[in-house]
Amino acid sequence: MKRTTLFRLIPFVLGMLLIVAAALLYTHPWQTTATVEDPAWALTLVGRQQEQRILDMAQIKALPAETGRGGFFSTVGTISGPFEIKGVPLIDLCRLVGGITGDDALFVSAQDGYSTVLSYNQITGKLDTYDPATMRVVPHTKLDFVLMYELDGQPLTQDGGKPLRMAVISDGNLITEGFNWVRWVNRIEVIPLKTAAATSAAE
Amino acid sequence: MPECKRLLLYFLAVSGLLGLAGSVSSCRPAEPVKIQVFCAGSLMVPFQDMEAAYEKAHPDVDVLIEGHGSIQTIRQVTELRKEGDVVAVADHYLLPLLMYSREMPDTGEPYADWNVAFATNNVGLAYSSQSKYVSEINDQNWYEILSRPDIKIGMADPRIDSCGYRTLMICQLAADLYQQPALTRRITGDFNIPLSLSEENGQTTITVPEVVEPATERLLLRSDSIWLNSLVQSGDVDYAFVYESVARQQGVNFLKLPDAVNLSSAEYAAFYGTVKVKLAFQRFASMAPVFTGGPVIYGITIPRNAPHPDQAQDFVTFVLGPEGQAILQQDYHPAIIPPVADQPGNMPSALRAFITPAGE
């Protein structure tokens, strides 16, 4: 091949490189979000007596679902929602492993290492609800904790807690504190509350 | 070879178009570089003011501020793998604990290896003109007033918020200082599952159970202390334990407690250290839930995987320099002057001009 022909090929090669680079930029996930992604997602339920059940998404979606409206506010006051939410009530999930009583708490944990604990009072409705317009505490007549898998008619996004996120729904357009809205939930455990240690804080 | 020529012409046209597109885009004003700052919620007001001032002087940079609780702030980078250029938290000890000791999966290097202590704070009492006994309360009798049975008190949930476990520390320090052994219970009232207290080698440990539910209406808990000021303003509580900077930023009256208990003074660091709060459940897998009393000190660092290290360094220079310090003061957030670095040798050299090495 003559040298002049080689020179003529340079734009071609450059063009190809540009196209490949453009394709890479388009397809590569540079903007990484949460990396919790597992196609074989399973939810582990553990009861008070260590009864254990593992449910896949199909089994979870086959359980009776509840819908309602709910939203939350973050540590710094950012309000999200209220949304239309669909999910399985936590109380129903507890029943699959022996139920929960007033002597128990519910330990909810996620794949990213985050966890929270709910009291029986909380999951049966004793929780402050807020009017998103005023941020004042307002009463509710019905409140449920659910394990949400659908928000505004759509499956959850990865950053939104896919495939399962804890949510609080009520009979109004109310919001609750965000730390309970655990994303990427993969384990729910009924734990007997420990009795107080030998000395009370006050004594 | 007409086919080959056609192909060659096609690719030449594509590359030409791409080149043209590139040259056109280069004629447009450059998009500002976006730098992501993750900060503690109590830093939001001064950092938003710094963002505005910095962007005015640097129109080529867009500073994005995102606030969380301090542990969550660090987790954005180390566990949720979000790209962060600057991390600033309300407890500088968290940075070595959660960033120096944790390796980035790509390189095996730690997420950070230095931090600068640049601001302080203290915990005291927010109150309103309608609060009970407001004409009587002062920094000498506050614990007696708060012990009265008709008072309503607000505090942050110690399982969730640093101000919450610091409130328990303050009550216990006051119990020791004023020889009032039952003070914590008198102030907070009873919980459905009691807090427990133990003592060993002169150190008191308060253990917070998995569930924290006040047994009476005396105490109102919120997941974050920034929500307590509105409870005071609405009259739902008489007094609430909050950070001074946040109370003053929100225009709420604030009673500063004595330095011996308010967690502000390095002079009392040893006394503060006699109290520890231990949580009975682990909220974050990466973080042992035990907190020892100490002065409130804010720390800032640049993660080693920051996508825009030069711009991050310039922004941190601004935060640590006179303009950043002035904004902190203007927002009632005491600055540490000069800021103190724990590992100055690991810092970008340009930043060293603004700091004092720890221990000097």
mmCIF file of all heavy atoms in Angstrom, chain B residues 108-153:
data_model
loop_
_atom_site.group_PDB
_atom_site.id
_atom_site.type_symbol
_atom_site.label_atom_id
_atom_site.label_comp_id
_atom_site.label_asym_id
_atom_site.label_seq_id
_atom_site.Cartn_x
_atom_site.Cartn_y
_atom_site.Cartn_z
ATOM 1 N N GLY B 108 -7.669 -0.443 45.934
ATOM 2 C CA GLY B 108 -7.174 -0.937 47.218
ATOM 3 C C GLY B 108 -6.699 0.172 48.144
ATOM 4 O O GLY B 108 -6.223 -0.083 49.249
ATOM 5 N N GLU B 109 -6.817 1.431 47.691
ATOM 6 C CA GLU B 109 -6.410 2.558 48.545
ATOM 7 C C GLU B 109 -7.568 2.957 49.450
ATOM 8 O O GLU B 109 -8.729 2.708 49.130
ATOM 9 C CB GLU B 109 -6.044 3.771 47.669
ATOM 10 C CG GLU B 109 -4.829 3.570 46.800
ATOM 11 C CD GLU B 109 -4.599 4.767 45.885
ATOM 12 O OE1 GLU B 109 -5.571 5.510 45.609
ATOM 13 O OE2 GLU B 109 -3.453 4.939 45.461
ATOM 14 N N PRO B 110 -7.257 3.614 50.582
ATOM 15 C CA PRO B 110 -8.366 4.086 51.432
ATOM 16 C C PRO B 110 -9.149 5.195 50.741
ATOM 17 O O PRO B 110 -8.606 5.896 49.885
ATOM 18 C CB PRO B 110 -7.659 4.611 52.677
ATOM 19 C CG PRO B 110 -6.269 4.908 52.243
ATOM 20 C CD PRO B 110 -5.945 3.959 51.133
ATOM 21 N N TYR B 111 -10.420 5.356 51.143
ATOM 22 C CA TYR B 111 -11.250 6.404 50.540
ATOM 23 C C TYR B 111 -10.723 7.800 50.870
ATOM 24 O O TYR B 111 -10.953 8.745 50.135
ATOM 25 C CB TYR B 111 -12.694 6.265 51.007
ATOM 26 C CG TYR B 111 -13.468 5.237 50.209
ATOM 27 C CD1 TYR B 111 -13.615 3.938 50.662
ATOM 28 C CD2 TYR B 111 -14.044 5.574 48.992
ATOM 29 C CE1 TYR B 111 -14.317 2.997 49.930
ATOM 30 C CE2 TYR B 111 -14.750 4.635 48.246
ATOM 31 C CZ TYR B 111 -14.880 3.348 48.721
ATOM 32 O OH TYR B 111 -15.569 2.428 47.990
ATOM 33 N N ALA B 112 -10.050 7.927 52.005
ATOM 34 C CA ALA B 112 -9.457 9.215 52.370
ATOM 35 C C ALA B 112 -8.341 8.929 53.359
ATOM 36 O O ALA B 112 -8.312 7.859 53.990
ATOM 37 C CB ALA B 112 -10.495 10.140 53.003
ATOM 38 N N ASP B 113 -7.410 9.866 53.492
ATOM 39 C CA ASP B 113 -6.335 9.654 54.469
ATOM 40 C C ASP B 113 -5.941 10.940 55.188
ATOM 41 O O ASP B 113 -4.852 11.043 55.729
ATOM 42 C CB ASP B 113 -5.123 8.975 53.819
ATOM 43 C CG ASP B 113 -4.614 9.737 52.602
ATOM 44 O OD1 ASP B 113 -5.095 10.856 52.354
ATOM 45 O OD2 ASP B 113 -3.723 9.202 51.909
ATOM 46 N N TRP B 114 -6.814 11.930 55.160
ATOM 47 C CA TRP B 114 -6.599 13.139 55.963
ATOM 48 C C TRP B 114 -7.952 13.803 56.186
ATOM 49 O O TRP B 114 -8.902 13.561 55.446
ATOM 50 C CB TRP B 114 -5.661 14.122 55.250
ATOM 51 C CG TRP B 114 -6.160 14.570 53.900
ATOM 52 C CD1 TRP B 114 -5.885 13.987 52.698
ATOM 53 C CD2 TRP B 114 -7.039 15.681 53.608
ATOM 54 N NE1 TRP B 114 -6.544 14.655 51.674
ATOM 55 C CE2 TRP B 114 -7.255 15.702 52.204
ATOM 56 C CE3 TRP B 114 -7.671 16.649 54.396
ATOM 57 C CZ2 TRP B 114 -8.069 16.655 51.581
ATOM 58 C CZ3 TRP B 114 -8.485 17.606 53.762
ATOM 59 C CH2 TRP B 114 -8.662 17.601 52.363
ATOM 60 N N ASN B 115 -8.027 14.605 57.243
ATOM 61 C CA ASN B 115 -9.193 15.469 57.377
ATOM 62 C C ASN B 115 -8.799 16.711 58.168
ATOM 63 O O ASN B 115 -7.796 16.709 58.890
ATOM 64 C CB ASN B 115 -10.382 14.734 58.008
ATOM 65 C CG ASN B 115 -10.337 14.684 59.508
ATOM 66 O OD1 ASN B 115 -10.730 15.640 60.183
ATOM 67 N ND2 ASN B 115 -9.832 13.574 60.067
ATOM 68 N N VAL B 116 -9.584 17.730 57.998
ATOM 69 C CA VAL B 116 -9.320 18.997 58.678
ATOM 70 C C VAL B 116 -10.499 19.313 59.597
ATOM 71 O O VAL B 116 -11.652 19.336 59.155
ATOM 72 C CB VAL B 116 -9.129 20.144 57.663
ATOM 73 C CG1 VAL B 116 -8.930 21.467 58.395
ATOM 74 C CG2 VAL B 116 -7.940 19.857 56.760
ATOM 75 N N ALA B 117 -10.206 19.533 60.869
ATOM 76 C CA ALA B 117 -11.229 19.989 61.825
ATOM 77 C C ALA B 117 -11.408 21.484 61.607
ATOM 78 O O ALA B 117 -10.462 22.259 61.767
ATOM 79 C CB ALA B 117 -10.762 19.695 63.240
ATOM 80 N N PHE B 118 -12.607 21.895 61.194
ATOM 81 C CA PHE B 118 -12.755 23.288 60.746
ATOM 82 C C PHE B 118 -13.879 24.043 61.453
ATOM 83 O O PHE B 118 -13.986 25.267 61.282
ATOM 84 C CB PHE B 118 -12.985 23.333 59.232
ATOM 85 C CG PHE B 118 -14.343 22.836 58.795
ATOM 86 C CD1 PHE B 118 -15.332 23.740 58.435
ATOM 87 C CD2 PHE B 118 -14.628 21.492 58.753
ATOM 88 C CE1 PHE B 118 -16.584 23.302 58.038
ATOM 89 C CE2 PHE B 118 -15.880 21.041 58.361
ATOM 90 C CZ PHE B 118 -16.856 21.940 58.002
ATOM 91 N N ALA B 119 -14.723 23.360 62.221
ATOM 92 C CA ALA B 119 -15.826 24.070 62.884
ATOM 93 C C ALA B 119 -16.230 23.313 64.140
ATOM 94 O O ALA B 119 -15.947 22.120 64.288
ATOM 95 C CB ALA B 119 -17.023 24.202 61.946
ATOM 96 N N THR B 120 -16.878 24.009 65.045
ATOM 97 C CA THR B 120 -17.383 23.377 66.270
ATOM 98 C C THR B 120 -18.872 23.688 66.398
ATOM 99 O O THR B 120 -19.467 24.300 65.518
ATOM 100 C CB THR B 120 -16.659 23.900 67.522
ATOM 101 O OG1 THR B 120 -16.961 25.278 67.668
ATOM 102 C CG2 THR B 120 -15.176 23.707 67.428
ATOM 103 N N ASN B 121 -19.451 23.286 67.501
ATOM 104 C CA ASN B 121 -20.846 23.581 67.787
ATOM 105 C C ASN B 121 -21.066 23.266 69.252
ATOM 106 O O ASN B 121 -20.124 22.814 69.936
ATOM 107 C CB ASN B 121 -21.771 22.734 66.906
ATOM 108 C CG ASN B 121 -22.995 23.517 66.429
ATOM 109 O OD1 ASN B 121 -23.457 24.415 67.116
ATOM 110 N ND2 ASN B 121 -23.510 23.168 65.259
ATOM 111 N N ASN B 122 -22.250 23.429 69.740
ATOM 112 C CA ASN B 122 -22.564 22.964 71.091
ATOM 113 C C ASN B 122 -24.043 22.656 71.154
ATOM 114 O O ASN B 122 -24.823 23.138 70.321
ATOM 115 C CB ASN B 122 -22.153 24.000 72.132
ATOM 116 C CG ASN B 122 -23.057 25.210 72.154
ATOM 117 O OD1 ASN B 122 -24.083 25.208 72.815
ATOM 118 N ND2 ASN B 122 -22.694 26.253 71.412
ATOM 119 N N VAL B 123 -24.421 21.838 72.123
ATOM 120 C CA VAL B 123 -25.832 21.475 72.287
ATOM 121 C C VAL B 123 -26.378 22.230 73.495
ATOM 122 O O VAL B 123 -25.773 22.232 74.566
ATOM 123 C CB VAL B 123 -25.986 19.953 72.492
ATOM 124 C CG1 VAL B 123 -27.461 19.594 72.705
ATOM 125 C CG2 VAL B 123 -25.422 19.187 71.302
ATOM 126 N N GLY B 124 -27.505 22.888 73.298
ATOM 127 C CA GLY B 124 -28.151 23.631 74.380
ATOM 128 C C GLY B 124 -29.655 23.560 74.229
ATOM 129 O O GLY B 124 -30.176 22.627 73.594
ATOM 130 N N LEU B 125 -30.344 24.546 74.771
ATOM 131 C CA LEU B 125 -31.811 24.476 74.817
ATOM 132 C C LEU B 125 -32.465 25.536 73.936
ATOM 133 O O LEU B 125 -32.221 26.738 74.113
ATOM 134 C CB LEU B 125 -32.282 24.668 76.258
ATOM 135 C CG LEU B 125 -31.895 23.566 77.240
ATOM 136 C CD1 LEU B 125 -32.278 23.966 78.660
ATOM 137 C CD2 LEU B 125 -32.556 22.250 76.857
ATOM 138 N N ALA B 126 -33.302 25.079 73.005
ATOM 139 C CA ALA B 126 -34.156 25.994 72.255
ATOM 140 C C ALA B 126 -35.408 26.233 73.084
ATOM 141 O O ALA B 126 -35.909 25.320 73.746
ATOM 142 C CB ALA B 126 -34.531 25.372 70.913
ATOM 143 N N TYR B 127 -35.894 27.481 73.077
ATOM 144 C CA TYR B 127 -37.112 27.787 73.833
ATOM 145 C C TYR B 127 -37.828 28.942 73.160
ATOM 146 O O TYR B 127 -37.264 29.617 72.273
ATOM 147 C CB TYR B 127 -36.776 28.135 75.291
ATOM 148 C CG TYR B 127 -35.987 29.406 75.460
ATOM 149 C CD1 TYR B 127 -36.628 30.625 75.708
ATOM 150 C CD2 TYR B 127 -34.595 29.402 75.358
ATOM 151 C CE1 TYR B 127 -35.909 31.793 75.857
ATOM 152 C CE2 TYR B 127 -33.877 30.576 75.500
ATOM 153 C CZ TYR B 127 -34.525 31.766 75.747
ATOM 154 O OH TYR B 127 -33.813 32.931 75.875
ATOM 155 N N SER B 128 -39.069 29.171 73.569
ATOM 156 C CA SER B 128 -39.814 30.310 73.022
ATOM 157 C C SER B 128 -40.278 31.195 74.180
ATOM 158 O O SER B 128 -40.151 30.814 75.359
ATOM 159 C CB SER B 128 -41.023 29.825 72.220
ATOM 160 O OG SER B 128 -42.069 29.472 73.107
ATOM 161 N N SER B 129 -40.866 32.319 73.837
ATOM 162 C CA SER B 129 -41.342 33.222 74.890
ATOM 163 C C SER B 129 -42.528 32.603 75.640
ATOM 164 O O SER B 129 -42.882 33.056 76.724
ATOM 165 C CB SER B 129 -41.746 34.568 74.289
ATOM 166 O OG SER B 129 -42.723 34.355 73.284
ATOM 167 N N GLN B 130 -43.151 31.578 75.036
ATOM 168 C CA GLN B 130 -44.283 30.905 75.683
ATOM 169 C C GLN B 130 -43.842 29.715 76.544
ATOM 170 O O GLN B 130 -44.682 29.094 77.214
ATOM 171 C CB GLN B 130 -45.270 30.371 74.617
ATOM 172 C CG GLN B 130 -45.709 31.411 73.594
ATOM 173 C CD GLN B 130 -46.364 32.616 74.248
ATOM 174 O OE1 GLN B 130 -47.178 32.469 75.150
ATOM 175 N NE2 GLN B 130 -45.951 33.807 73.834
ATOM 176 N N SER B 131 -42.578 29.363 76.510
ATOM 177 C CA SER B 131 -42.115 28.186 77.263
ATOM 178 C C SER B 131 -42.334 28.396 78.759
ATOM 179 O O SER B 131 -42.133 29.519 79.272
ATOM 180 C CB SER B 131 -40.617 27.950 77.008
ATOM 181 O OG SER B 131 -40.390 27.729 75.646
ATOM 182 N N LYS B 132 -42.717 27.327 79.437
ATOM 183 C CA LYS B 132 -42.943 27.434 80.881
ATOM 184 C C LYS B 132 -41.646 27.807 81.605
ATOM 185 O O LYS B 132 -40.588 27.291 81.249
ATOM 186 C CB LYS B 132 -43.464 26.106 81.424
ATOM 187 C CG LYS B 132 -44.914 25.859 81.062
ATOM 188 C CD LYS B 132 -45.468 24.689 81.856
ATOM 189 C CE LYS B 132 -46.903 24.458 81.472
ATOM 190 N NZ LYS B 132 -47.143 23.175 80.843
ATOM 191 N N TYR B 133 -41.760 28.646 82.597
ATOM 192 C CA TYR B 133 -40.635 29.076 83.444
ATOM 193 C C TYR B 133 -39.540 29.803 82.650
ATOM 194 O O TYR B 133 -38.380 29.814 83.062
ATOM 195 C CB TYR B 133 -40.041 27.873 84.198
ATOM 196 C CG TYR B 133 -41.076 27.056 84.919
ATOM 197 C CD1 TYR B 133 -41.378 25.756 84.507
ATOM 198 C CD2 TYR B 133 -41.789 27.584 85.982
ATOM 199 C CE1 TYR B 133 -42.350 25.011 85.150
ATOM 200 C CE2 TYR B 133 -42.771 26.841 86.630
ATOM 201 C CZ TYR B 133 -43.037 25.555 86.200
ATOM 202 O OH TYR B 133 -44.000 24.825 86.840
ATOM 203 N N VAL B 134 -39.947 30.412 81.519
ATOM 204 C CA VAL B 134 -38.934 31.063 80.674
ATOM 205 C C VAL B 134 -38.277 32.246 81.389
ATOM 206 O O VAL B 134 -37.098 32.556 81.135
ATOM 207 C CB VAL B 134 -39.558 31.483 79.316
ATOM 208 C CG1 VAL B 134 -40.566 32.622 79.492
ATOM 209 C CG2 VAL B 134 -38.488 31.851 78.311
ATOM 210 N N SER B 135 -39.006 32.865 82.307
ATOM 211 C CA SER B 135 -38.399 34.010 82.993
ATOM 212 C C SER B 135 -37.436 33.563 84.089
ATOM 213 O O SER B 135 -36.658 34.368 84.610
ATOM 214 C CB SER B 135 -39.501 34.892 83.590
ATOM 215 O OG SER B 135 -40.256 34.124 84.492
ATOM 216 N N GLU B 136 -37.497 32.294 84.441
ATOM 217 C CA GLU B 136 -36.624 31.797 85.521
ATOM 218 C C GLU B 136 -35.361 31.098 85.012
ATOM 219 O O GLU B 136 -34.324 31.122 85.663
ATOM 220 C CB GLU B 136 -37.374 30.733 86.356
ATOM 221 C CG GLU B 136 -38.420 31.251 87.290
ATOM 222 C CD GLU B 136 -39.046 30.081 88.040
ATOM 223 O OE1 GLU B 136 -38.296 29.252 88.590
ATOM 224 O OE2 GLU B 136 -40.279 29.983 88.037
ATOM 225 N N ILE B 137 -35.484 30.451 83.865
ATOM 226 C CA ILE B 137 -34.421 29.512 83.474
ATOM 227 C C ILE B 137 -33.132 30.253 83.119
ATOM 228 O O ILE B 137 -33.154 31.324 82.523
ATOM 229 C CB ILE B 137 -34.897 28.609 82.312
ATOM 230 C CG1 ILE B 137 -33.979 27.386 82.156
ATOM 231 C CG2 ILE B 137 -34.990 29.388 81.002
ATOM 232 C CD1 ILE B 137 -34.568 26.282 81.287
ATOM 233 N N ASN B 138 -32.012 29.664 83.519
ATOM 234 C CA ASN B 138 -30.702 30.189 83.117
ATOM 235 C C ASN B 138 -29.698 29.025 83.085
ATOM 236 O O ASN B 138 -30.081 27.868 83.320
ATOM 237 C CB ASN B 138 -30.240 31.309 84.070
ATOM 238 C CG ASN B 138 -30.155 30.829 85.506
ATOM 239 O OD1 ASN B 138 -29.644 29.734 85.783
ATOM 240 N ND2 ASN B 138 -30.663 31.628 86.440
ATOM 241 N N ASP B 139 -28.440 29.342 82.820
ATOM 242 C CA ASP B 139 -27.475 28.256 82.636
ATOM 243 C C ASP B 139 -27.036 27.621 83.958
ATOM 244 O O ASP B 139 -26.243 26.681 83.958
ATOM 245 C CB ASP B 139 -26.262 28.746 81.835
ATOM 246 C CG ASP B 139 -25.451 29.787 82.585
ATOM 247 O OD1 ASP B 139 -25.905 30.247 83.649
ATOM 248 O OD2 ASP B 139 -24.368 30.143 82.092
ATOM 249 N N GLN B 140 -27.554 28.130 85.077
ATOM 250 C CA GLN B 140 -27.231 27.515 86.364
ATOM 251 C C GLN B 140 -28.351 26.600 86.869
ATOM 252 O O GLN B 140 -28.091 25.607 87.558
ATOM 253 C CB GLN B 140 -26.974 28.603 87.422
ATOM 254 C CG GLN B 140 -25.793 29.510 87.091
ATOM 255 C CD GLN B 140 -24.511 28.732 86.906
ATOM 256 O OE1 GLN B 140 -24.111 27.971 87.785
ATOM 257 N NE2 GLN B 140 -23.872 28.903 85.752
ATOM 258 N N ASN B 141 -29.592 26.958 86.540
ATOM 259 C CA ASN B 141 -30.718 26.180 87.096
ATOM 260 C C ASN B 141 -31.459 25.354 86.038
ATOM 261 O O ASN B 141 -32.507 24.789 86.306
ATOM 262 C CB ASN B 141 -31.714 27.110 87.803
ATOM 263 C CG ASN B 141 -32.410 28.052 86.817
ATOM 264 O OD1 ASN B 141 -32.240 27.909 85.610
ATOM 265 N ND2 ASN B 141 -33.189 28.997 87.307
ATOM 266 N N TRP B 142 -30.935 25.299 84.800
ATOM 267 C CA TRP B 142 -31.650 24.667 83.693
ATOM 268 C C TRP B 142 -32.075 23.236 84.015
ATOM 269 O O TRP B 142 -33.174 22.805 83.665
ATOM 270 C CB TRP B 142 -30.786 24.695 82.421
ATOM 271 C CG TRP B 142 -29.538 23.864 82.521
ATOM 272 C CD1 TRP B 142 -28.339 24.264 83.026
ATOM 273 C CD2 TRP B 142 -29.386 22.495 82.129
ATOM 274 N NE1 TRP B 142 -27.430 23.232 82.987
ATOM 275 C CE2 TRP B 142 -28.046 22.145 82.432
ATOM 276 C CE3 TRP B 142 -30.211 21.544 81.560
ATOM 277 C CZ2 TRP B 142 -27.535 20.875 82.186
ATOM 278 C CZ3 TRP B 142 -29.714 20.274 81.294
ATOM 279 C CH2 TRP B 142 -28.388 19.953 81.616
ATOM 280 N N TYR B 143 -31.206 22.509 84.707
ATOM 281 C CA TYR B 143 -31.523 21.101 84.975
ATOM 282 C C TYR B 143 -32.636 20.968 86.007
ATOM 283 O O TYR B 143 -33.386 19.994 85.995
ATOM 284 C CB TYR B 143 -30.259 20.326 85.411
ATOM 285 C CG TYR B 143 -29.619 20.832 86.668
ATOM 286 C CD1 TYR B 143 -29.918 20.248 87.896
ATOM 287 C CD2 TYR B 143 -28.716 21.888 86.637
ATOM 288 C CE1 TYR B 143 -29.336 20.720 89.059
ATOM 289 C CE2 TYR B 143 -28.127 22.359 87.794
ATOM 290 C CZ TYR B 143 -28.442 21.772 88.993
ATOM 291 O OH TYR B 143 -27.867 22.240 90.143
ATOM 292 N N GLU B 144 -32.751 21.945 86.903
ATOM 293 C CA GLU B 144 -33.866 21.918 87.875
ATOM 294 C C GLU B 144 -35.185 22.233 87.167
ATOM 295 O O GLU B 144 -36.191 21.561 87.392
ATOM 296 C CB GLU B 144 -33.642 22.955 88.978
ATOM 297 C CG GLU B 144 -32.541 22.605 89.945
ATOM 298 C CD GLU B 144 -32.251 23.783 90.878
ATOM 299 O OE1 GLU B 144 -33.130 24.662 91.032
ATOM 300 O OE2 GLU B 144 -31.147 23.824 91.428
ATOM 301 N N ILE B 145 -35.149 23.247 86.299
ATOM 302 C CA ILE B 145 -36.375 23.615 85.568
ATOM 303 C C ILE B 145 -36.822 22.432 84.702
ATOM 304 O O ILE B 145 -38.005 22.075 84.659
ATOM 305 C CB ILE B 145 -36.118 24.848 84.677
ATOM 306 C CG1 ILE B 145 -35.626 26.026 85.505
ATOM 307 C CG2 ILE B 145 -37.352 25.184 83.832
ATOM 308 C CD1 ILE B 145 -36.654 26.831 86.222
ATOM 309 N N LEU B 146 -35.871 21.807 84.012
ATOM 310 C CA LEU B 146 -36.228 20.703 83.112
ATOM 311 C C LEU B 146 -36.686 19.462 83.866
ATOM 312 O O LEU B 146 -37.253 18.541 83.273
ATOM 313 C CB LEU B 146 -35.046 20.346 82.195
ATOM 314 C CG LEU B 146 -35.092 20.968 80.789
ATOM 315 C CD1 LEU B 146 -35.257 22.464 80.827
ATOM 316 C CD2 LEU B 146 -33.886 20.578 79.971
ATOM 317 N N SER B 147 -36.423 19.432 85.170
ATOM 318 C CA SER B 147 -36.870 18.289 85.973
ATOM 319 C C SER B 147 -38.311 18.436 86.449
ATOM 320 O O SER B 147 -38.893 17.493 86.983
ATOM 321 C CB SER B 147 -35.979 18.137 87.213
ATOM 322 O OG SER B 147 -34.647 17.946 86.847
ATOM 323 N N ARG B 148 -38.897 19.615 86.281
ATOM 324 C CA ARG B 148 -40.248 19.845 86.808
ATOM 325 C C ARG B 148 -41.267 19.009 86.038
ATOM 326 O O ARG B 148 -41.146 18.842 84.810
ATOM 327 C CB ARG B 148 -40.588 21.342 86.750
ATOM 328 C CG ARG B 148 -39.692 22.138 87.686
ATOM 329 C CD ARG B 148 -39.987 23.619 87.660
ATOM 330 N NE ARG B 148 -39.051 24.304 88.564
ATOM 331 C CZ ARG B 148 -38.957 25.616 88.687
ATOM 332 N NH1 ARG B 148 -39.749 26.414 87.993
ATOM 333 N NH2 ARG B 148 -38.090 26.154 89.520
ATOM 334 N N PRO B 149 -42.283 18.507 86.749
ATOM 335 C CA PRO B 149 -43.177 17.524 86.118
ATOM 336 C C PRO B 149 -44.076 18.082 85.013
ATOM 337 O O PRO B 149 -44.525 17.331 84.160
ATOM 338 C CB PRO B 149 -44.027 17.017 87.302
ATOM 339 C CG PRO B 149 -43.871 18.035 88.381
ATOM 340 C CD PRO B 149 -42.553 18.689 88.182
ATOM 341 N N ASP B 150 -44.300 19.397 84.989
ATOM 342 C CA ASP B 150 -45.227 19.942 83.990
ATOM 343 C C ASP B 150 -44.526 20.458 82.727
ATOM 344 O O ASP B 150 -45.135 21.120 81.900
ATOM 345 C CB ASP B 150 -46.056 21.068 84.612
ATOM 346 C CG ASP B 150 -45.180 22.154 85.223
ATOM 347 O OD1 ASP B 150 -43.982 21.889 85.450
ATOM 348 O OD2 ASP B 150 -45.683 23.262 85.448
ATOM 349 N N ILE B 151 -43.247 20.154 82.598
ATOM 350 C CA ILE B 151 -42.477 20.617 81.436
ATOM 351 C C ILE B 151 -42.585 19.594 80.300
ATOM 352 O O ILE B 151 -42.608 18.396 80.540
ATOM 353 C CB ILE B 151 -40.987 20.764 81.851
ATOM 354 C CG1 ILE B 151 -40.799 21.949 82.770
ATOM 355 C CG2 ILE B 151 -40.077 20.853 80.658
ATOM 356 C CD1 ILE B 151 -40.763 23.264 82.044
ATOM 357 N N LYS B 152 -42.638 20.097 79.066
ATOM 358 C CA LYS B 152 -42.559 19.202 77.899
ATOM 359 C C LYS B 152 -41.231 19.453 77.186
ATOM 360 O O LYS B 152 -40.851 20.602 76.968
ATOM 361 C CB LYS B 152 -43.725 19.460 76.957
ATOM 362 C CG LYS B 152 -45.033 18.891 77.472
ATOM 363 C CD LYS B 152 -46.038 18.754 76.349
ATOM 364 C CE LYS B 152 -47.184 17.866 76.797
ATOM 365 N NZ LYS B 152 -48.080 17.551 75.703
ATOM 366 N N ILE B 153 -40.593 18.348 76.824
ATOM 367 C CA ILE B 153 -39.228 18.434 76.287
ATOM 368 C C ILE B 153 -39.143 17.733 74.930
ATOM 369 O O ILE B 153 -39.786 16.699 74.711
ATOM 370 C CB ILE B 153 -38.246 17.793 77.295
ATOM 371 C CG1 ILE B 153 -38.144 18.700 78.522
ATOM 372 C CG2 ILE B 153 -36.873 17.567 76.679
ATOM 373 C CD1 ILE B 153 -37.431 18.111 79.673
#
